[in-house]
Amino acid sequence: AQTVTQSQPEMSVQEAETVTLSCTYDTSESDYYLFWYKQPPSRQMILVIRQEAYKQQNATENRFSVNFQKAAKSFSLKISDSQLGDAAMYFCAYRSPDDKIIFGKGTRLHILP
Amino acid sequence: NAGVTQTPKFQVLKTGQSMTLQCAQDMNHEYMSWYRQDPGMGLRLIHYSVGAGITDQGEVPNGYNVSRSTTEDFPLRLLSAAPSQTSVYFCASSYLGQGVTYEQYFGPGTRLTVT
């Protein structure tokens, strides 16, 4: 069965600094999709970034980028120039070829002013 | 576009009662799913559907039923509520496509308490 592991339940970063959130996953598939979602206190789930497993290039969205290591089954999220609005729960998610989506348990990110 | 809507926003049930959580989307998405979110557990997939008339189980399907009679609606039924089903429930939808990554759109959630 596929699993997604986020080993950091909580992290803190100083405003304007860079932080990296870790995610590892386990699968026997070769084609799949990976996502990072953000959940602020409003509870609304917001897509941050996505990565297709067949693409070697790491995805980037403005201040957010990923380090996708397919062989290591690692998918970390880097947030540059952290802002107060980045404070939230962040979830890593894996989507299998048969469309089952598995989420990690989340990392709560605190931004220190 | 209303996106993904869920009703009710809050619900309190007594043990043994039944109820249906409603989910609707107006984006013509083929894929719809239900998750529950518990503290420290992330989101866990309950059931999902890849189109009208097709449903499948996720990680934690026990105690829940679903049906998909239309593309737009994907209700989640609790047949006999138990305190272990106290949680926040999210519905989500997305397009499906071969080799294409489609993001999921989430509803605002339903907070359910079973006493």
Side-chain angles (χ1 to χ4, degrees):
Chain A
Q2 297 98 346
T3 58
V4 176
T5 302
Q6 293 179 248
S7 58
Q8 306 145 315
E10 283 195 67
M11 294 191 71
S12 296
V13 64
Q14 211 72 35
E15 197 176 359
E17 296 295 307
T18 295
V19 64
T20 299
L21 310 184
S22 301
C23 173
T24 58
Y25 57 94
D26 189 25
T27 183
S28 58
E29 304 287 348
S30 57
D31 284 330
Y32 49 86
Y33 308 105
L34 298 164
F35 306 85
W36 279 98
Y37 281 89
K38 169 184 177 181
Q39 187 181 42
S42 67
R43 213 168 64 188
Q44 184 65 46
M45 296 288 288
I46 303 163
L47 178 70
V48 174
I49 200 164
R50 77 193 82 183
Q51 174 82 43
E52 293 88 343
Y54 64 86
K55 289 187 178 177
Q56 293 187 335
Q57 187 171 5
N58 289 325
T60 299
E61 289 285 343
N62 301 315
R63 297 184 294 107
F64 299 88
S65 61
V66 298
N67 184 3
F68 174 47
Q69 303 286 331
K70 190 172 184 179
K73 297 179 183 172
S74 170
F75 183 61
S76 59
L77 174 69
K78 185 170 86 171
I79 306 174
S80 304
D81 185 26
S82 297
Q83 300 175 0
L84 293 177
D86 295 333
M89 281 290 286
Y90 285 82
F91 293 99
C92 177
Y94 163 94
R95 183 165 182 161
S96 67
D98 62 351
D99 296 307
K100 279 190 177 170
I101 302 174
I102 307 298
F103 282 78
K105 294 183 179 181
T107 296
R108 183 172 299 281
L109 179 64
H110 303 277
I111 310 295
L112 307 173
Chain B
N1 272 0
V4 180
T5 58
Q6 290 183 238
T7 55
K9 286 190 168 49
F10 301 93
Q11 183 70 48
V12 179
L13 287 179
K14 292 189 185 328
T15 297
Q17 287 184 318
S18 63
M19 80 158 296
T20 299
L21 306 185
Q22 300 291 346
C23 175
Q25 52 91 9
D26 61 359
M27 297 172 281
N28 206 29
H29 287 167
E30 300 95 338
Y31 184 88
M32 296 187 74
S33 54
W34 276 102
Y35 299 87
R36 59 177 290 172
Q37 183 176 22
D38 303 295
M41 297 298 291
L43 277 77
R44 291 182 292 170
L45 182 64
I46 304 172
H47 286 286
Y48 67 102
S49 168
V50 298
I54 306 168
T55 63
D56 208 344
Q57 295 181 350
E59 296 175 84
V60 289
N62 292 342
Y64 307 96
N65 277 358
V66 292
S67 59
R68 184 100 180 267
S69 55
T70 67
T71 300
E72 295 78 18
D73 300 299
F74 191 46
L76 179 72
R77 296 185 188 86
L78 284 70
L79 299 177
S80 178
S84 60
Q85 294 178 304
T86 293
S87 188
V88 178
Y89 291 85
F90 286 97
C91 179
S93 73
S94 74
Y95 290 113
L96 282 178
Q98 192 76 15
V100 181
T101 319
Y102 290 117
E103 70 171 287
Q104 286 199 98
Y105 292 80
F106 283 82
T110 295
R111 183 177 291 278
L112 175 68
T113 302
V114 183
T115 60

